[in-house]
Amino acid sequence: MRLSDNIKCSLVSWITKISIWKFFLLLLAVSFVIFLVQSVLPVFSDSHDLHRLAGEELALNGRGKIPSCVSCHGLQGQGDAKIASPRLAGLHPSYIKKQLEDYARDPLKTRAFVEPIARDYVKTPRTYGDLTVFTPGTRYDPKMNGLAKLLSAEDRHNLAIYYSKLAFVASPKAYDFETLERGEDLALRGKPEYGLPSCDSCHGPGGQGFGAIFPPLAGQPVTYIIAQINKWQAGKRDNDHLALMRNIADQLTDGDKVNVAAYYDNLSYSVNSE
Amino acid sequence: MKRILLKWVFIFSFYHVAVLPVAAQELGQTLDSLEVRPSLVNSRLSLPTQLTQVHVISPGEYFAPPLVADIPDDRFGDMVRMGRNIFIKTGVYAKRYAGNGLNCSSCHLQEGRKPHGIPLWAAYGRYPMYRHKTRTVVTLEERIQDCFIYSMNGIAPTLDAPEMKALVTYTKWLSKGAPVGVDLPGRGLPNISRTQDLDPKRGKIVYETRCELCHGKDGKGQKHTNGEGYMFPPLWGRDSYNKGSGLQRVRTLAKFIKGNMPLGASFSLTNQESLDVAIYIWLQDRPRNPKMSQAMDFFFPNMAR
């Protein structure tokens, strides 16, 4: 009580004593100093860097039973088309983290079973219920499942930050004209007469990804893109928000997958590099 | 007394220098944990017994417009290309006429091609036609002017403006082979009926579970990463359509949502859910109807027209 009174009195008497201009000048000077110090501060205490370095260590060398990520995802995190392993460099950190969490989740615990789509799915009426809307969030893959279970939350965080900061430059490959033309039509316009939106309307212009939820398609190996769509159709991947991608994958034919993957492989694209 | 003052200056600057940046960094760095994923936190809206059967489209059911790759390489083709550019990037190619962040293709989905997404190919053969809104017979050009004034919250290009010619040319090219004077299947928006009274509270839940992911927490949409135009268009606020637009009618908006939203899952909401979320969107603030006076807008903010 006494202390606060004291402060109040002194402040009031002081403000009345000096002119208002001097007061503003002082305020200006103080905020300038704050600004200066603030702009220098991050250089000294960057915890971001610590996470990144820890992630790098784990990615390059592995730890205990955890194999190094580079053996499958490439030294620069550029992916490997031969084993359908995706590029990780430059993906959004939250996206990487979410995928690792989904790999580690036990499918039985979510108590949900996703029925694979029927072979002649064009003729099968799709039924939307709650299970298709509120996704359980599991992703099945023999290589990644066991590995992801060994990672701690801290590891996932570090790895996510490390890979999101890596630079990547795509090397566009040549395809025949017809494939590219069909792929482009699907990527930019979808199939309106079937109500299928374009890939770019979610995956960003040029398939470069948008935010934490929509991953990039440009720069992903062709085999990986096709494999993922197959997994959605077979019910082995069911971790997308609001089943957004599942609705799309259910409607793609085998030709569509090849065309659209080729189109994205043909685009030039770079991330994190000047 | 000086000492006390100094103390406060010190505390103030310490807070700014040491506490705020660290807190901000922490915030920026924390990654979403699984529990904040909208698909998992929110309670279920309906029992699994209330299923919606989605109509599966068989080949040839709807009119298929020509491919963009087939635009002819002549003067006519140039006009078509210009019209298409205006249609999908209105803010860039018709900047002086557009008043908000939308494009024509935000509502006329997939470049004006999607059945039940107000497709252009179904509109071309219907005009000139009688409209209740104006109580006159309107031509296609006049209909497009209306979309500029209300849906784009801008100014209408004159009937002989190059932009208008380009848009009409694009519409004509899209409807190559479509019959004239008949209502094609997939025209305009789908029909829906209501069974219960509308409830914006239920609509808010639908919005938060099914739409927020793309259209944003505040309904203001999400801009492209390079800051130009919208990736996901705003549903309300300064950059959205104004109160004179067709979508400001709850029923029309509900029809639009039923037939087109969430993106890629058309017809997945029930009629009631679309109407609820439509009235929730209707209640939000947006630019006023340019044909209505300021005072009317102030006293009756939600009167459509």
Side-chain angles (χ1 to χ4, degrees):
Chain A
M1 183 64 199
R2 265 204 67 216
L3 187 74
S4 65
D5 269 2
N6 199 348
I7 292 166
K8 241 186 256 164
C9 283
S10 57
L11 260 179
V12 166
S13 62
W14 179 75
I15 288 174
T16 45
K17 255 185 233 154
I18 67 158
S19 79
I20 196 89
W21 294 114
K22 266 189 199 155
F23 180 71
F24 274 122
L25 229 81
L26 188 78
L27 219 66
L28 214 75
V30 170
S31 50
F32 185 66
V33 171
I34 289 168
F35 171 76
L36 273 187
V37 178
Q38 255 182 8
S39 50
V40 181
L41 195 83
V43 179
F44 295 115
S45 70
D46 199 347
S47 62
H48 222 80
D49 241 30
L50 294 180
H51 286 293
R52 197 178 62 76
L53 288 175
E56 183 169 7
E57 168 66 22
L58 184 55
L60 295 182
N61 303 325
R63 168 165 33 81
K65 273 196 202 154
I66 306 174
S68 67
C69 315
V70 291
S71 56
C72 293
H73 289 284
L75 262 181
Q76 308 294 321
Q78 78 277 31
D80 185 350
K82 272 189 226 96
I83 56 165
S85 129
R87 153 174 83 91
L88 299 178
L91 298 190
H92 195 284
S94 306
Y95 177 76
I96 298 180
K97 200 175 167 204
K98 170 181 167 276
Q99 296 308 323
L100 290 174
E101 277 167 3
D102 291 344
Y103 278 126
R105 192 164 306 115
D106 196 347
L108 290 178
K109 280 219 182 97
T110 60
R111 276 171 294 137
F113 174 67
V114 194
E115 277 185 57
I117 54 168
R119 195 77 199 117
D120 52 346
Y121 46 85
V122 196
K123 298 198 196 77
T124 323
R126 279 185 303 284
T127 308
Y128 290 90
D130 285 324
L131 285 185
T132 56
V133 173
F134 299 95
T135 56
T138 55
R139 187 170 169 183
Y140 175 76
D141 182 69
K143 293 200 188 78
M144 288 298 297
N145 280 153
L147 194 156
K149 286 196 179 107
L150 299 175
L151 299 173
S152 67
E154 176 79 22
D155 291 339
R156 291 198 281 259
H157 186 101
N158 295 346
L159 285 165
I161 289 185
Y162 167 64
Y163 274 116
S164 67
K165 291 259 187 285
L166 277 186
F168 175 78
V169 181
S171 44
K173 285 175 207 69
Y175 289 90
D176 67 298
F177 180 71
E178 205 163 305
T179 309
L180 289 180
E181 198 178 276
R182 288 188 190 159
E184 180 179 11
D185 206 54
L186 187 59
L188 300 184
R189 277 170 290 281
K191 285 196 272 187
E193 58 276 22
Y194 294 100
L196 179 76
S198 64
C199 310
D200 279 13
S201 61
C202 282
H203 288 280
Q208 308 205 343
F210 186 78
I213 289 157
F214 303 101
L217 298 180
Q220 287 293 13
V222 170
T223 46
Y224 175 69
I225 294 187
I226 298 175
Q228 291 313 300
I229 298 172
N230 283 337
K231 283 195 170 175
W232 259 299
Q233 294 186 342
K236 284 184 179 165
R237 181 169 179 183
D238 189 35
N239 64 337
D240 43 340
H241 289 276
L242 307 179
L244 286 174
M245 187 56 208
R246 192 172 159 232
N247 294 329
I248 309 294
D250 279 2
Q251 296 183 54
L252 295 177
T253 65
D254 290 349
D256 293 340
K257 296 172 207 167
V258 176
N259 294 341
V260 77
Y263 168 73
Y264 283 117
D265 204 28
N266 183 255
L267 294 181
S268 58
Y269 164 72
S270 71
V271 62
N272 285 344
S273 65
E274 284 87 54
Chain B
M1 194 213 69
K2 267 249 173 67
R3 262 195 24 220
I4 292 170
L5 182 77
L6 268 175
K7 194 174 93 192
W8 276 97
V9 168
F10 181 73
I11 289 174
F12 179 68
S13 40
F14 177 79
Y15 179 71
H16 269 259
V17 174
V19 181
L20 270 189
V22 172
Q25 250 187 9
E26 216 85 80
L27 275 180
Q29 256 181 40
T30 41
L31 303 165
D32 288 357
S33 69
L34 181 78
E35 282 59 44
V36 274
R37 280 167 61 186
S39 53
L40 292 180
V41 283
N42 287 299
S43 57
R44 297 196 165 163
L45 297 181
S46 53
L47 293 170
T49 45
Q50 297 176 315
L51 299 174
T52 10
Q53 273 250 324
V54 180
H55 175 67
V56 167
I57 301 160
S58 39
E61 188 166 343
Y62 295 117
F63 176 77
L67 296 175
V68 167
D70 294 340
I71 298 180
D73 268 329
D74 51 15
R75 297 287 277 276
F76 177 76
D78 288 345
M79 209 60 175
V80 173
R81 250 171 251 127
M82 177 176 164
R84 175 171 168 268
N85 283 341
I86 295 173
F87 202 78
I88 62 179
K89 289 210 178 93
T90 317
V92 178
Y93 293 98
K95 199 169 176 175
R96 53 188 174 149
Y97 298 118
N100 59 20
L102 301 182
N103 300 316
C104 302
S105 61
S106 301
C107 304
H108 302 271
L109 270 80
Q110 295 179 273
E111 312 190 352
R113 289 159 177 268
K114 186 177 177 294
H116 298 304
I118 331 178
L120 287 184
W121 46 258
Y124 188 71
R126 290 176 76 221
Y127 289 85
M129 98 179 177
Y130 176 79
R131 269 189 91 200
H132 287 297
K133 183 175 171 181
T134 52
R135 299 215 174 76
T136 47
V137 170
V138 295
T139 59
L140 182 63
E141 286 88 340
E142 284 165 336
R143 183 70 192 82
I144 291 178
Q145 282 185 332
D146 261 20
C147 262
F148 267 109
I149 297 174
Y150 302 109
S151 295
M152 300 294 302
N153 192 27
I155 35 177
T158 52
L159 296 185
D160 56 356
E163 282 86 352
M164 179 61 83
K165 276 190 194 159
L167 281 170
V168 174
T169 317
Y170 176 60
T171 311
K172 188 217 155 199
W173 173 78
L174 263 189
S175 26
K176 186 173 164 188
V180 168
V182 291
D183 270 4
L184 289 169
R187 183 199 81 73
L189 298 165
N191 266 325
I192 61 171
S193 56
R194 74 172 197 181
T195 47
Q196 272 174 290
D197 281 344
L198 312 188
D199 182 359
K201 282 201 211 83
R202 280 198 308 256
K204 188 167 191 286
I205 300 176
V206 176
Y207 183 81
E208 282 167 0
T209 47
R210 311 290 297 269
C211 322
E212 198 180 282
L213 190 73
C214 294
H215 290 289
K217 244 195 184 59
D218 49 3
K220 304 269 159 64
Q222 297 187 53
K223 287 222 157 151
H224 278 303
T225 9
N226 62 7
E228 289 163 16
Y230 283 92
M231 171 85 196
F232 299 117
L235 299 189
W236 60 82
R238 233 160 28 103
D239 258 357
S240 193
Y241 55 88
N242 69 34
K243 284 178 189 161
S245 164
L247 286 193
Q248 178 69 0
R249 240 180 287 134
V250 174
R251 230 171 93 81
T252 314
L253 181 55
K255 286 166 158 187
F256 178 89
I257 293 166
K258 170 93 183 174
N260 302 295
M261 289 289 145
L263 202 68
S266 321
F267 296 98
S268 68
L269 297 179
T270 61
N271 289 350
Q272 193 58 43
E273 280 170 339
S274 351
L275 282 157
D276 287 340
V277 71
I279 197 163
Y280 172 69
I281 294 172
W282 181 75
L283 285 172
Q284 313 295 331
D285 199 31
R286 61 178 72 258
R288 75 185 175 87
N289 183 348
K291 295 277 161 77
M292 212 156 78
S293 73
Q294 290 272 5
M296 280 289 278
D297 185 61
F298 184 78
F299 289 114
F300 306 98
N302 279 326
M303 203 166 87
R305 49 177 66 90

